[in-house]
Amino acid sequence: MGDDWTRVQSTQLSWKGSMALFWDPADAGQINLAAGSYVTLEFYPRGNTVSYQLWTGQAMITSISRPQAYDGLVEAAVEFTGNGTLTKTVV
């Protein structure tokens, strides 16, 4: 409100990331990806097995690009910024 620059304090936490994927136009989840949209992300750093970590959080898609297809496969690059807490649980 009134200030175009973000002010950061050392006590504030944030998270962001990017992912690469093969674009599948038949996947409704991928079709809905658009810059400015909000998604819930789940990360399994070591797989989804007993006593491994699951990280969950809401993020805003900040950019998405789909470059030219190579060998018939279309890749996509998606960047996101967390919106709130990134929660860790054990699965």
Side-chain angles (χ1 to χ4, degrees):
M1 298 180 89
D3 192 352
D4 293 338
W5 292 93
T6 301
R7 299 190 188 282
V8 179
Q9 297 178 6
S10 63
T11 58
Q12 292 178 318
L13 301 174
S14 64
W15 57 282
K16 62 182 177 177
S18 62
M19 60 183 161
L21 51 98
F22 291 112
W23 186 253
D24 180 1
D27 183 343
Q30 290 183 30
I31 295 299
N32 292 328
L33 287 177
S37 64
Y38 288 89
V39 295
T40 299
L41 299 175
E42 292 184 346
F43 303 102
Y44 297 92
R46 294 186 177 206
N48 186 9
T49 59
V50 176
S51 74
Y52 285 131
Q53 297 176 4
L54 162 65
W55 295 82
T56 307
Q58 184 186 54
M60 182 180 74
I61 303 298
T62 55
S63 72
I64 183 167
S65 63
R66 290 180 285 278
Q68 193 69 21
Y70 177 76
D71 288 343
L73 298 174
V74 178
E75 296 180 2
V78 180
E79 295 184 352
F80 52 87
T81 300
N83 182 36
T85 304
L86 184 60
T87 305
K88 179 178 86 170
T89 57
V90 175
V91 294

